[in-house]
Amino acid sequence: MNLSECYITAITPYGSQNEQSHEIEEYIVTSSAEIGIVDTPRAQQVISDCAPKGYTAEIPLVSIGCAGLFAAVMKFAAGPARTARILALETPSDFVQSTLDCAQLGAGGDGFVAQDVAYVLDLQKFPEGALARIEHCEIMSRPSCFAGTSKLARNFLARLEELDSICPDARIVTFENVSGYARRLMQAVKADVSFPEQRQFLETVEQDERHFMTVRPLLDLQKQMAEDSLRPLIVTCLGAGGRIGMFAVTPMDVSMAERSVMQMWPMPQIDAHFIEVRGQPTPPPDQPMELWYMNRAYFGRENFCFEWSINGDNFLCTS
């Protein structure tokens, strides 16, 4: 999967997406609420409104909790399409909240409150007209073994060190939120003997229980690129089940000379794994199904997500 030729052309909230400057060949939806959300009228409307002009093909929905955006980027990078639109769909908030509660992430669990939000990310595999280039994207996962959290922390730090080679002087947005697990994981990161004293994490937009799910990385990316459009940026985001999504982005203003130096330090090959989910009925909109991302059988898998197919004509799950 070649991420060095994956470019960002637009990051926009639902309702203000830009006019298409060229044909968009692929349309991918991601949501922490998994496939059940597409049977709600609100989600159907947003999917329809954000669809590329003339798009009639089936639409993949990829999901792995709040890290789904990273899975969608990897799906595009690994496929034949040269342009894509990714819709991070977290509306209607009452349905999303019910899934958070089911996963013990809302209410009496971590207390997260789902925000009613949807964002669009447009990507292409050529640099003309792009805002930034995605240098690296992956989903790390807590190893299913003793001291798995500490090992995830060490793996995360090791990856940041590798990213220093291709994104020198990069700013890093923290994955930490107000959940107890996020704080324990960050403590493990900072407790590592190799943690550089000068390593500083930028704050995320999530400072309290208001939760933006798959949209959070786009909000962090948009905010930080607006504040500093010249330095590389690493955005990280926690996903339930001990997962960390991360991507590294360099602005298009980086000189070609700097890019040639970066390319002397190749990152490890990332292979994404998509499990196609079929044969499972979609529940009524007010009764979310059992969440696949909370199934312990799938914990510990790197660059892993679930995939459903949405019919482009009536937005019903094709399974």
Side-chain angles (χ1 to χ4, degrees):
M1 180 170 56
N2 183 8
L3 275 162
S4 64
E5 295 302 325
C6 187
Y7 298 87
I8 295 172
T9 58
I11 308 169
T12 50
Y14 168 61
S16 63
Q17 54 266 28
N18 297 332
E19 288 293 319
Q20 292 177 217
S21 59
H22 48 254
E23 180 186 4
I24 295 179
E25 300 175 12
E26 186 173 34
Y27 185 32
I28 304 169
V29 177
T30 185
S31 176
S32 67
E34 300 186 346
I35 191 61
I37 197 170
V38 305
D39 277 342
T40 66
R42 169 65 173 173
Q44 291 174 10
Q45 185 64 56
V46 175
I47 293 170
S48 178
D49 290 347
C50 294
K53 291 179 181 178
Y55 197 90
T56 59
E58 289 186 351
I59 305 164
L61 185 146
V62 297
S63 183
I64 189 70
C66 295
L69 178 75
F70 306 96
V73 170
M74 289 190 287
K75 180 173 178 60
F76 167 63
R82 287 179 47 80
T83 56
R85 172 163 293 169
I86 296 172
L87 169 63
L89 176 71
E90 302 295 352
T91 182
S93 59
D94 56 350
F95 186 90
V96 179
Q97 185 66 54
S98 67
T99 66
L100 291 178
D101 294 348
C102 180
Q104 298 185 334
L105 300 174
D110 288 319
F112 284 127
V113 179
Q115 301 301 292
D116 198 285
V117 63
Y119 251 71
V120 168
L121 174 69
D122 284 349
L123 300 174
Q124 63 187 29
K125 292 178 180 174
F126 47 91
E128 291 78 14
L131 302 174
R133 184 169 81 165
I134 299 177
E135 307 286 352
H136 181 75
C137 180
E138 71 175 305
I139 301 171
M140 311 185 82
S141 188
R142 179 187 183 277
S144 299
C145 61
F146 180 73
T149 296
S150 295
K151 291 182 179 180
L152 175 59
R154 288 197 296 272
N155 292 341
F156 174 70
L157 281 171
R159 182 65 80 236
L160 291 184
E161 292 301 314
E162 291 175 315
L163 286 171
D164 279 343
S165 300
I166 62 170
C167 298
D169 197 33
R171 298 167 297 141
I172 308 169
V173 179
T174 184
F175 58 75
E176 191 174 5
N177 55 33
V178 298
S179 73
Y181 181 76
R183 289 170 171 167
R184 290 192 298 274
L185 181 58
M186 183 54 77
Q187 287 174 354
V189 167
K190 293 184 175 180
D192 193 282
V193 292
S194 64
F195 187 83
E197 290 185 4
Q198 72 273 18
R199 178 86 72 194
Q200 298 292 325
F201 289 99
L202 300 172
E203 289 186 343
T204 175
V205 296
E206 285 192 0
Q207 294 296 303
D208 51 32
E209 287 78 11
R210 288 174 294 178
H211 198 29
F212 296 92
M213 293 71 65
T214 60
V215 176
R216 171 183 155 169
L218 293 178
L219 295 176
D220 283 330
L221 181 61
Q222 189 176 56
K223 177 178 183 292
Q224 295 301 332
M225 287 180 65
E227 292 182 0
D228 188 339
S229 62
L230 299 178
R231 292 174 59 194
L233 181 68
I234 299 171
V235 175
T236 69
C237 180
L238 198 64
R243 301 176 176 102
I244 302 175
M246 62 190 304
F247 52 44
V249 173
T250 52
M252 293 305 294
D253 290 338
V254 174
S255 71
M256 293 305 296
E258 287 174 302
R259 287 195 182 283
S260 65
V261 172
M262 290 177 187
Q263 290 168 1
M264 294 171 58
W265 299 89
M267 290 295 295
Q269 179 72 18
I270 298 297
D271 294 317
H273 305 282
F274 297 84
I275 296 295
E276 191 171 9
V277 181
R278 291 190 178 274
Q280 184 185 30
T282 313
D286 60 344
Q287 297 177 26
M289 68 178 68
E290 179 183 358
L291 294 163
W292 286 71
Y293 70 83
M294 292 303 292
N295 189 322
R296 291 184 175 274
Y298 301 106
F299 286 10
R301 301 192 186 190
E302 304 274 330
N303 302 308
F304 171 86
C305 77
F306 301 101
E307 179 176 339
W308 292 264
S309 184
I310 306 170
N311 185 300
D313 294 324
N314 57 21
F315 302 111
L316 295 179
C317 176
T318 62
S319 59

